[in-house]
Structure formats: C-alpha cells, structure tokens
Amino acid sequence: MPEKTGTRGYRGKKAEIKGKKRRKDIFGAIRILFLFGFILFVFLGIGALVLVYPCIKDVPEFDPHLLKPDVTSYIFDDSGKEIANLYYDQNRVEIPLESIPLHVQKAFIAIEDERFYDHFGVDPVAILRALASNIKNRNWTDQGGSTITQQIIKTAFLTPQKTYRRKIQEAWLALKMERQYSKSEILEIYLNQIPFAQGAYGIEAASTTYFNKPAQELTLAEAALLATIPRSPNYYSPFVNFEAAKQRQSLVLQNMHRLGFISHREMTAARNEEIILGEPPTRQYEYPYFVDYVLHHELINILTSLPQYKTREEAYEAVYNMGLKIYTTLNTNAQKETENVLNNESLYPQNLRVDMDLLKEMMKDKSLNSYPKEVLGDEGLLQPQAAAVVANPATGEILALVGGREYSKGNQSLRYLSRRQPGSAIKPIAVYAPAMEENLITPGSIIDDAPFIRGSWAPENFDRRFRGLVTIREALVPSLNVAAVKTFAQLTPEIGLSYLKQMGVSSIQDGDYNLATAIGGMTQGISPLDMAQAYAVLANQGIKVNLHTIKRIEDRSGQILFEQRSEPQSILSPQTAYMITDILKDVVRRGTAARLRVGRPVAAKTGTTSDNRDAYLVAYTPDLVVSFWMGHDIPTTGKISGGSGTTIPFMNAIISSVLKDKEPTDFSRPSGVTGPVSICSKSGLRPGPFCPPETITSEIFPSSQVPQGTCNLHMEMGICTISGLLAGEHCSPQSIESQVFLLRPEYEVTDERWRGAAGRVPEDASQQPPEEHCQGHHLQPGPGTDGFAVSLLDQPPRAYLWWSEREDIQEYFIYRKSDHEEEFTLLRNLPGNANQFLDGNITAGNTYTYKLAAITTEGVRLETAGQVLIAPDAPGSVRENNSEQENNGNEQENGGDDENAQDEEDLIHRQHESRRQR
C-alpha cells in the first residue's frame, strides 16, 4: 500500500513539473514572437520611413492660392446680358456651396467618396479596398482609393502620374488641407473644379453645357448623370457615350439609396426620368465683330495699363483664366440691325468682273478657294466689302461695330480698323472746322474757286469746273476741291492736322503735312473708327468724348478693376461745331448726300477717292454718329460703281433702324451765332444797290463777325453801246448804257499743267467789265495817265466818274459833297483794279463836287482835287476839272475828310489783305 501511494505522488509531481515547463515554453514563445513583432515593426517603420521620407521631403508647399482654379471670364452687353464667355481650355463658373442643391452634393459623395464626412483626408478602408483590387489585377497602381480631398490636392499641387510617390505626397497634403479647411469648404472647392468634358469644369459650367440650366435647377436624375462624368470625362460624357453614362447613373442612384440619401421611390423615379440634353456647345459667340474688338484691342490695352498686368501675355492670361466680368456698351439691337444692313446683298453696287489671272498673281500668298465668298463671287465677280461704326457722340459709347459682310472663318477682318483714303470726308474735320475755329473763315466767307497751282500740282474739282467766288458753304456743300485746298493753304497743314489729331484721328504721318491732305490724299488714310471719333466732336457741340466699348471690368470676386470715366475735351467751340453742322445739313438737303432721308435732322459728308476705290459716308444726328466705308480688301482689284452715292442706301437703313424708337431732335443753336443775315454771295458783305438778286443769300455768322460793310464787287458801269467797251470821256450820253459788273480778283488760266482742258477760267469771269475804254467817236483823248474825270449822264441823271488805272493802287475811296454840305462824305470804297463809278443818287439842279483818294500797295494815301458837276434842270453843260493825283507823303487823316470816311478807311486798311486779291 505504501508503495502505491508513493508511485502516484511521484507521477503527479512529475506531471506538475512538465506543466510548468510547458507554460514556460509558451510564455517564452510569446516573448519571442513579441520581440520578433517589435523588431519587425521597427524594421517596417524604418523601411516605411526610408520609403516615405524621400517622398515627403520635397512635397510641394501647401499654398491655398493654388486651390483657386482657372475661371471663365464673361462679356456682357449694355443691359448686363451675357454675350460671350472666354476661356482657354476650362470653362468654369464658380458658385458657392449654398447654390448647389443637397441632392447634387450627395450624388457626387455617393460615387466618389461615401465616407467623406467621416475620414480625416485619407480613407484607410478605401485604401485597403484599392490595394486588394490592385493585387487581384496584378496592377499596383490601378486604383488608389483617393478621397475628394486627395483629388483636389492632385489637381492643384501634383501631377496626374499614377505612382506611389505621388500617392504618398497626395495623402500628406490631404491631411494638411483637412486641418485648414472645413468639409463644406472642401466640397465647394471640389464641385467647382472637377472636369466634365466639352470644356466644362465645375458643376455650374457642366449644368449649363449639358442641360442649358444653372446647377440650382438640376433634377436628381440630372445630378446623378453629371456625377458619372468625372471618373472618365471623355468616356462618360453624355454627348459622347450616352448609354455608358446612363448605366453609371444607375450606380450613383443605387449608392445614394444604400447610403440613405434617397428613398427607393426616388431612386426608381430618377432611373426612369427622361434625360433631355441641350445642344453641344461651341466656342463661337454672337456679335463676333464687336467682341473681337473688345477682346483683342480695348480690353488688352486697358489691362496692360493696370499695375498687376505688365505684359500682353499676362493680360490674356487674366482674360481667359481669372474670371473677369467685362461690361460693354454693345447695343444688341443696333448691332443686329447694322449687321443685317451690311449683309444685304441688294444694297451693294453691281458686281465688277476682274481679270482672274491678275487677281491670282496679286494673291500669291492666299488661296482663292479660301478667300471670302462675300468678296470673291463665282466666275470672277468681285464683291465689295464694307464696315460700319455706330456710336453715341455724347457718351462716347460704341453701340455697334461691323467689320464686313457675313463673319466666317475666311472673313474675320475688322475693317473698321483698316486705314483707307477718306476722300472729301476729311474736309470738314481737317480744313473747314479748324479754319473756322481759328477765325479765318465763316460760313459766309468768300473763297475763289479758280485755277490754282502749287509747284507742279494743280488740283481739280470733280467736274473740272471752276465756279469762281463762292461762300464757304457753297464750297463745302458740293465738295469743291480747289476751294478746300486754298482754305487749307491759308490755315496751313500744321494747324489743320493738329486739330485733326485732337479730334481723334490717329493715323497722321509726316508725309501728310501737305496741301493734298485737304482733299484726302493721305499716306495711310483714316479708319472708320477714327472717322466716327472725329465727327462725334461735331455732333457733340465741339466736345470730344473718347469712343469706347468697355464700361467696367470686375475680377472674380466682384472688385472693380477698371471703370470708364468720361473726360470730355473741348476741341471746337459750340459755335464752330454748330456752323459746320448747319452746312453739312445742307449737304443732305441739296449736296452730295441729297438722297439721305432718315426722317429727322441729319448732317453728313461723303468722301470718294478719285479712282472710286474707296467710298466713305459719315452721318450724325444729336444722338448718333455713323461712319460707313465701302471698298475692296485689295484696293487695286476693283472700283465702286456709283462712287459715294452707293453708300447712301446703307446709311438710310442703319440710322432709320437704330433710331426707329427715338423721337427726332434737331441740333441746338448755341448763343454767339447770329443769323440768318443777308449777304452778297460774291463779296461776303451786305448786299449793295447793284448786287443781282441771284447773288443775295442768307447766312449765319459768329456774332462777332457779322459783316458790316456793303458789297463793293458789284458795280454799275457805263458801257458804250457802240463799241461795247467802257464808256470813254468822249462817248455821247446817248450811247452810254448802265450795266452791273463783278469786279472779281485776278485769276490763273489753265494750261497744260492742269489735267483738264486748257484755257479754262472761273465761271464768274464772264461777269467782269471790259478792260478798255472806248476811244472812238473821233473825240479828243481823255485825261492824262493820272487823270480823274466826271461826266453827266441823263435819263435818269447820273454822275459818271472814271480815272486812269495804276498797278500800284490797293484801294480807292470816292468822296462827294453837294452845294448844301460843308464837308465831303465817303460815297464808296472800291478795289484797286476799279477805274470807274456811277453815282445815280443825284438831284437835278444841284451842284456836286467829287474827290478821289487811293491807298497804294505800300500804304501811301493819294488824293485828287475836286471835280465839279452841275445837274441842271434841263440838259446843259458840264464843268470838268482834271488834276494830277497828289501825294501827301503820309497816312495821316485828311483834315477835310469826314470822320466816318476816316473810320471806313481804317477799317478797309485793316481788312484789305484778307478781303481782296489783285
């Protein structure tokens, strides 16, 4: 018994020892495993550090400014309506998260990052899922489990390359972003950045592109369809692969239902909803002739003038990427109407057939097949082109710009910027307005339209006629060239072009400072835009307001970068502008623009080059200025049949349509303008007793320049009816007949130096008196070389005075005293080429004494002794007393002269240079 007990105790003790040893082995194994795990963790940590550190040590700096994506810029018309969007590759419109419906937000979260609100920038579950998928597909970079935050980081800071280095950097920066931005801010950035193909970036641009509506109006079905696109935009775009997009839309709706975002009923309804897509977008915009000018000319010039944009490249970058809002002056009605007019083929002159071989030779650098069909028609029929500028002269706002007929790929030229020869359209702005402003002329001033030559250049009028003495009005209304050149010579090209530049013409060259510029012979010409600017000064009472198309520019946050501020400049006085305008209204009534009929007061001026290759018409009302040009892109290939007359139907249509809803107004007359005043159209002075009725006209004047003297060019003279010459001393009274003649200045006679026929003279030269006195009738010779004689003519009684001519006399003065008067009175002043005078204001039975005085070209006063004439009750004898002219040696007042006579003499002395030509 004892032995058994001992055996069991031994065995139990042995088993206990074995149990303790087993437990010890297990704990040892655990310690070894823990140690191995720790060592592995350390090695893995070191390995991870070795792998990760090189990736994050050169990670880009987290710059919040880079989170701002490129944003589309917009152009608006004068009513604030969008007319164009501008972007390079990314059409993007930023909107706040509050403007994006909740179901739209959840659609993107459901398909792109369903744990968006739970993770801290990196989603470990999504990473493990992506890792498993990559292992299964044996592609370690196929999926990356990127969160919405990581997608933003990838777009803003990193490259699209699928590498673990980029994924590590992406995760690192995502963690940083989640610490600085709220989930709402991150989601807003994301929904404004993601690509949707078709150039659309961000949910607002996508909604507009695919459904023609803002994101705020998207349905659940439309939102789910858009949410499918960012995974692979070019594949899932509904415009490209509608069925694939619909299939993925179903997945989006299924995820939304699974996550509790929508009910089963909503999911089913959205799946069954018919999707109606809009038209695929194009990069074309309405009103391209206007927008192209805004974009590539005025806008870029404004931006480069701002301190933040130093180069044109930076300015264009801002236009296409920085979300600018450009508010313009475009009046869409005016633009449409003007485009329609210029596109109306029936208004253009008959086609001109040209030599195709010649045209091909001239266009070696262009393909005839790509040349605008609007210009080159079938079978070599050349079509003219046109351009128009429509603006408000008071505000400077350009309402419409049309650079040609139908805008197309082959026809995009902004012809309103092309410099073309202006022809006579330059006369009011370079010649007559400046000369009037310089007080050299008035509308009633006289200019001699007579043959003129300077060096070898002899300008001609369009009809090869010379009209003689005409008023400035009658020189401008029919657009006489010679009169314009003479006025320009008096003004000087330097002064005329100085005014032209101030009025807005930017194309003046050194070679333009010559007289040919007065009739449009310029080095480069003038653009229709500059022409509109210059004429706007006339329409706006002499005030220049710079023509412009941009009213305001705002940045993406609404801050104003630029605002147009009117800075009016006074170029011409209101009086000058009104008087020129009044003349140009006559151009419409009875001049070169006589067929212009728009149902309201309008002023206009035509301009045609001598070869009819360019035709201008500029017209204006108080509310509108329109500059219109017609011609050929290649000037030497064709002419315009009908000249400037072909431009009038266009102007009629443009003004009538643009102003159809505006009440007619007339140009207001400023103070300081007097008239109408009756004048003689040959002398520019008040009508005298001998001015023929047809020469008497009414004219307006500056109040300080109203003519005071009477006409001294129309003179009644005695003509010997036997010889047809001036009555001589010995012609019998019965043979003398009174006639009215014009004592006009001397003139040139055309010869081979003129392009027209030789021997031409001013038309009013026929109104001059004979040059010689009658020496017949076997009478004794008259007075000596310096003689002065007075004879009596009867029926009715008249005193006939005549004297010998002298070439050195500038002006004559005739004084008379009756036997009832104590002092002589100035009867008349006459030009130096006069040699007779007829006094019809005598009374029978009275005795009259006449005295002749003269001013020489050197300013010396000469005077004769008195000649006595008795007007008897019945025909009787006449006493005559001839004497030599006496030189008193000075210009002092003659003690015996009447004070009024001396005043008249002083006036003549001051004005004779500008009024008379020998």
Side-chain angles (χ1 to χ4, degrees), residues 258-277:
R258 177 174 57 81
L259 295 170
F261 294 160
I262 58 174
S263 67
H264 187 274
R265 177 179 296 179
E266 289 173 320
M267 178 184 69
T268 303
R271 281 177 173 172
N272 295 331
E273 180 180 314
E274 181 184 5
I275 297 295
I276 301 176
L277 298 175

Side-chain angles (χ1 to χ4, degrees), residues 243-488:
E243 291 303 321
K246 279 290 292 180
Q247 290 177 11
R248 186 165 171 80
Q249 177 207 42
S250 181
L251 176 61
V252 173
L253 293 170
Q254 181 179 327
N255 283 3
M256 292 181 74
H257 175 252
R258 177 174 57 81
L259 295 170
F261 294 160
I262 58 174
S263 67
H264 187 274
R265 177 179 296 179
E266 289 173 320
M267 178 184 69
T268 303
R271 281 177 173 172
N272 295 331
E273 180 180 314
E274 181 184 5
I275 297 295
I276 301 176
L277 298 175
E279 290 294 323
T282 67
R283 292 298 297 270
Q284 296 179 349
Y285 37 75
E286 284 190 286
Y287 321 117
Y289 279 126
F290 191 96
V291 172
D292 281 358
Y293 177 79
V294 171
L295 174 59
H296 298 297
H297 294 274
E298 190 166 326
L299 177 59
I300 295 302
N301 290 338
I302 290 174
L303 292 180
T304 52
S305 71
L306 301 177
Q308 56 265 54
Y309 308 110
K310 297 179 176 59
T311 65
R312 292 180 66 86
E313 289 73 18
E314 291 181 1
Y316 273 113
E317 182 71 20
V319 169
Y320 285 104
N321 293 329
M322 296 188 181
L324 302 181
K325 295 180 177 64
I326 302 104
Y327 296 88
T328 75
T329 62
L330 172 68
N331 182 295
T332 54
N333 175 66
Q335 183 71 26
K336 289 177 182 176
E337 295 289 354
T338 307
E339 287 180 2
N340 290 339
V341 171
L342 267 68
N343 291 337
N344 187 347
E345 291 190 7
S346 67
L347 297 178
Y348 288 85
Q350 185 176 2
N351 297 335
L352 175 69
R353 187 173 298 278
V354 295
D355 185 335
M356 293 297 292
D357 292 333
L358 173 62
L359 190 58
K360 289 178 182 179
E361 182 67 22
M362 298 175 64
M363 297 171 59
K364 284 182 177 178
D365 59 332
K366 293 185 179 181
S367 167
L368 282 176
N369 293 328
S370 66
Y371 202 70
K373 185 171 179 60
E374 291 78 17
V375 176
L376 185 62
D378 299 331
E379 300 179 357
L381 295 179
L382 197 66
Q383 305 274 338
Q385 267 291 0
V389 178
V390 182
N392 183 321
T395 65
E397 294 183 349
I398 296 176
L399 309 180
L401 288 171
V402 183
R405 298 159 77 169
E406 300 283 356
Y407 187 97
S408 64
K409 182 178 180 180
N411 181 35
Q412 300 179 3
S413 297
L414 306 185
R415 294 175 182 84
Y416 46 75
L417 299 177
S418 299
R419 294 170 177 177
R420 308 300 288 253
Q421 294 303 322
S424 293
I426 199 175
K427 293 173 182 175
I429 53 179
V431 180
Y432 292 111
M436 205 168 285
E437 187 70 11
E438 292 291 309
N439 293 320
L440 296 176
I441 61 171
T442 68
S445 296
I446 302 301
I447 191 76
D448 194 4
D449 180 37
F452 172 86
I453 191 163
R454 180 66 61 90
S456 60
W457 183 58
E460 293 268 9
N461 293 322
F462 68 96
D463 56 4
R464 300 290 194 267
R465 293 168 52 197
F466 299 100
R467 289 158 178 77
L469 299 174
V470 294
T471 62
I472 291 298
R473 182 183 296 272
E474 296 310 315
L476 183 50
V477 168
S479 200
L480 302 181
N481 290 334
V482 177
V485 171
K486 286 187 172 182
T487 304
F488 200 52

Side-chain angles (χ1 to χ4, degrees), residues 689-731:
F690 307 120
C691 292
E694 64 270 17
T695 66
I696 299 175
T697 187
S698 296
E699 192 52 87
I700 58 174
F701 291 90
S703 298
S704 62
Q705 295 178 267
V706 177
Q708 300 301 315
T710 55
C711 175
N712 56 5
L713 296 187
H714 285 112
M715 188 63 56
E716 189 177 59
M717 297 182 177
I719 297 295
C720 176
T721 57
I722 299 175
S723 66
L725 301 176
L726 294 172
E729 181 181 8
H730 300 290
C731 292

Side-chain angles (χ1 to χ4, degrees), residues 73 140 143 145 175 309 396 436 535-536 617 635 721 750 776 836 855:
S73 294
W140 299 104
Q143 295 186 27
L175 296 175
Y309 308 110
M436 205 168 285
Y535 273 83
L617 175 58
T721 57
T750 61
Q836 59 177 314
I855 300 294

